[in-house]
Amino acid sequence: MKLNINNPVLSKEIKLRFRSPKSFNGILFYLIVMCIFVFGFIFVTMSVNRTSYFTPDESFFLFMLLSFIQLGLVLFISPGLTAGVISTEREKQTLPILLTTSQSSFQIIAGKLLSSIAFLLLLIFAGLPIYSLVFLFGGISPLDFGLVFLFLFVTLFAIGSLGVMFSTIIRRTIVSMIATYGTMLFLTTVTGFLAMMFAQLMSLSTSAVPTSFPAYFLASINPGVLMASLLTPDIEEAITSFTVIDFPIWGTYLIFYLSITVLSLFIAVKNLRVNMKRHK
């Protein structure tokens, strides 16, 4: 079956990746673990509560746990999948051959990015039937479901684009991975710590109407904070009332990470053939 995509790099990479038995074994293992977790959670909850039913509140809590598990999957696997796509070609000395083809720099970068995150996208889609079990018990609306997955896709493409950018501008794969994981850890942990620090400084302010844009911005670009605010709107209301900035944090998150995606891909495309241009 042919891929209806006019990008030979993407077609070749996807065929090589998904023809390996390891890919399907990985998906099977992931689904088995997810099923054990979901049914184990339901069984333990009913056993502890000594009931024969699962309440909507418990279903919503299960949905929150699954959402954060998916977020962790995106954050910690995306750098490993994308941070070596170009640097590995350079280390194998196959990048010059790839650059002599008729493919443009954007086609090569886009093909490498999409083929690298395709496996993770497949994992997310494969987990949809397990996610849908929460609808049997109530407590979850289709809007919540859609927002969480839209958030995961935006985050996945942003982290993946950063990985491709570092893989393009850094010659060594291990250094590229360290840079990508370091950036991911900064966005997920350091931003949260700095947001709390600025919020604490703001609470000590003597201004009549104190505002703290740094605290608001750092909290808005933190994936964990946004995930929690999507699942619990009270968190967003608390951030808005505390920082006195009436702008939805999901809007700031979307603008920031879409900008990161576009900028990272632009830098990767511009630097892919930089050595060739120097020798002209």
Side-chain angles (χ1 to χ4, degrees):
M1 178 176 164
K2 289 187 177 181
L3 291 173
N4 248 333
I5 301 174
N6 189 21
N7 191 328
V9 175
L10 177 60
S11 302
K12 187 213 41 144
E13 294 288 338
I14 287 182
K15 288 177 181 177
L16 289 177
R17 187 176 298 272
F18 287 98
R19 282 178 177 175
S20 172
K22 293 181 180 178
S23 298
F24 294 96
N25 291 336
I27 296 173
L28 178 62
F29 177 76
Y30 168 75
L31 293 178
I32 291 175
V33 171
M34 289 290 286
C35 288
I36 293 174
F37 174 80
V38 170
F39 289 106
F41 180 86
I42 295 174
F43 175 77
V44 170
T45 301
M46 289 192 298
S47 298
V48 170
N49 295 334
R50 296 182 179 180
T51 58
S52 58
Y53 56 86
F54 201 62
T55 65
D57 290 338
E58 295 165 343
S59 175
F60 180 75
F61 183 70
L62 174 60
F63 178 72
M64 290 181 60
L65 290 178
L66 290 174
S67 299
F68 276 102
I69 289 174
Q70 292 279 44
L71 177 60
L73 192 73
V74 167
L75 293 176
F76 287 97
I77 294 183
S78 297
L81 292 175
T82 59
V85 291
I86 301 298
S87 57
T88 301
E89 295 279 357
R90 188 182 291 114
E91 291 173 349
K92 293 180 178 179
Q93 298 183 352
T94 55
L95 182 60
I97 299 175
L98 182 62
L99 296 179
T100 56
T101 64
S102 60
Q103 301 302 301
S104 66
S105 297
F106 178 77
Q107 283 181 305
I108 294 174
I109 293 297
K112 289 290 187 178
L113 172 63
L114 293 176
S115 63
S116 297
I117 65 177
F119 179 73
L120 196 50
L121 285 173
L122 182 59
L123 283 181
I124 294 175
F125 280 111
L128 288 177
I130 302 175
Y131 259 94
S132 63
L133 289 174
V134 297
F135 288 105
L136 297 175
F137 308 103
I140 305 298
S141 69
L143 180 61
D144 296 330
F145 195 79
L147 288 176
V148 167
F149 275 88
L150 177 61
F151 158 75
L152 290 175
F153 292 149
V154 171
T155 306
L156 171 60
F157 277 97
I159 300 297
S161 299
L162 284 171
V164 173
M165 181 193 71
F166 284 121
S167 181
T168 304
I169 64 179
I170 299 176
R171 301 186 64 87
R172 298 290 299 274
T173 299
I174 185 64
V175 180
S176 173
M177 285 191 176
I178 292 173
T180 308
Y181 274 107
T183 304
M184 183 272 298
L185 289 175
F186 174 82
L187 293 172
T188 55
T189 58
V190 178
T191 55
F193 173 77
L194 292 177
M196 290 188 293
M197 185 183 70
F198 280 111
Q200 183 65 26
L201 292 175
M202 187 186 67
S203 65
L204 301 176
S205 175
T206 57
S207 175
V209 185
T211 59
S212 180
F213 177 77
Y216 166 82
F217 178 74
L218 291 169
S220 298
I221 66 174
N222 187 287
V225 173
L226 185 67
M227 173 69 84
S229 68
L230 291 176
L231 299 172
T232 309
D234 293 341
I235 294 178
E236 181 174 2
E237 295 176 2
I239 294 174
T240 300
S241 62
F242 189 73
T243 58
V244 200
I245 297 178
D246 191 15
F247 188 79
I249 64 174
W250 62 264
T252 304
Y253 186 93
L254 192 63
I255 294 172
F256 178 79
Y257 279 92
L258 287 180
S259 301
I260 287 292
T261 302
V262 174
L263 181 62
S264 298
L265 292 178
F266 177 79
I267 293 174
V269 170
K270 286 298 182 181
N271 285 273
L272 182 63
R273 301 176 188 268
V274 64
N275 291 330
M276 295 178 63
K277 291 179 181 180
R278 288 176 181 172
H279 287 87
K280 283 184 178 180

